[in-house]
Amino acid sequence: MSADPTLIPASPSEDDYVRQVREATPPPLLSEEDPFALFAEWLEEAGKKEPNDPNAMTVSTVDADGMPDSRMVLLKDFDARGFVFYTNTQSAKGQELNAHPKAALLFHWKSLRRQVRIRGTVEPVTEAEADAYFASRARHSQIGAWASDQSRPLPDRHALEKRVAEMGLKFGLGKVPRPPHWSGYRITPVTIEFWRDRPFRLHERLVFDRAEGGWTTKRLFP
């Protein structure tokens, strides 16, 4: 049975494309100098134009059977070493990353009509990094990290609310320490691709590949 055709947006018409060309000012080609500087520039623009969570990204991993798995998380740090997010290390993604320390990331900024694809190797952040970030979280989020057996079956909503209440009583008004099963992962990119929308599906694609001492670049057909 096919999907209701009214649910799928129609492809742009020739008139739509012509209008885009008339209204758009052709931007200069993307810079090939530094992928992290370009990413920072795009993330800053997304912060001004995206309705919410400009730092949201898809993290893709594989399980023991080689089946791919994807979910949305929030980027919490990045620099020349890589891109960092935090999670329960006993969750599905944590177990998959520990068994197969490679991942792919995808940022999609719909308001800007841009995306960034990243593939790379994965390693845990340092204990100091994890402690510092956990300490910056809201107290309720800290308690939630203790209460949730992430990715495991939940009997009912009451069971989760009960765990939250128990953890709240356990820590009282004192400091909430970081759970031993909660930390961060850093994806060190081997490839970063920047994609920018252009009329007539003639999009711009710029790929950075890690090489000895730096990066090589190439442009791809859209």
Side-chain angles (χ1 to χ4, degrees):
M1 180 178 177
S2 298
D4 183 343
T6 64
L7 298 178
I8 308 297
S11 298
S13 67
E14 186 74 15
D15 288 343
D16 291 330
Y17 281 129
V18 171
R19 177 180 51 78
Q20 287 183 41
V21 173
R22 284 201 308 264
E23 294 177 354
T25 300
L29 289 176
L30 295 173
S31 170
E32 300 182 14
E33 292 298 318
D34 180 356
F36 294 103
L38 181 55
F39 179 83
E41 178 185 324
W42 279 22
L43 183 61
E44 181 179 10
E45 290 186 54
K48 297 174 182 176
K49 296 184 179 180
E50 285 296 307
N52 60 282
D53 295 334
N55 58 327
M57 62 182 183
T58 302
V59 175
S60 297
T61 56
V62 295
D63 66 13
D65 297 322
M67 183 67 73
D69 223 347
S70 296
R71 76 286 287 165
M72 300 299 295
V73 304
L74 296 178
L75 176 72
K76 289 301 179 181
D77 192 17
F78 79 95
D79 55 25
R81 296 174 297 168
F83 300 81
V84 174
F85 71 94
Y86 291 87
T87 188
N88 184 320
T89 60
Q90 296 174 352
S91 66
K93 60 181 169 295
Q95 293 184 52
E96 289 167 4
L97 287 172
N98 291 337
H100 307 283
K102 296 179 182 180
L105 308 179
L106 172 63
F107 293 86
H108 176 221
W109 296 302
K110 185 175 182 180
S111 300
L112 296 173
R113 299 192 175 192
R114 296 174 182 174
Q115 69 178 16
V116 178
R117 299 169 59 201
I118 298 164
R119 302 169 71 207
T121 58
V122 179
E123 64 180 7
V125 300
T126 65
E127 295 288 309
E129 287 176 297
D131 287 340
Y133 175 68
F134 189 80
S136 74
R137 303 184 87 202
R139 184 178 182 83
H140 281 64
S141 295
Q142 294 175 334
I143 290 174
W146 281 96
S148 176
D149 290 329
Q150 192 174 359
S151 299
R152 292 168 177 77
L154 175 65
D156 53 49
R157 187 68 184 182
H158 176 70
L160 176 59
E161 294 170 349
K162 180 181 178 182
R163 288 286 300 275
V164 170
E166 290 172 349
M167 291 298 109
L169 288 173
K170 176 180 178 178
F171 295 111
L173 298 178
K175 178 181 177 181
V176 181
R178 177 174 62 88
H181 55 266
W182 193 97
S183 189
Y185 294 95
R186 175 175 285 107
I187 292 83
T188 300
V190 296
T191 301
I192 306 177
E193 179 187 328
F194 294 85
W195 179 101
R196 182 164 60 180
D197 177 81
R198 298 295 295 139
F200 304 107
R201 307 291 189 195
L202 301 179
H203 310 306
E204 183 178 3
R205 298 177 65 185
L206 174 62
V207 178
F208 290 81
D209 290 311
R210 189 177 291 277
E212 187 69 30
W215 298 87
T216 61
T217 60
K218 60 188 176 189
R219 296 184 182 271
L220 301 180
F221 280 98

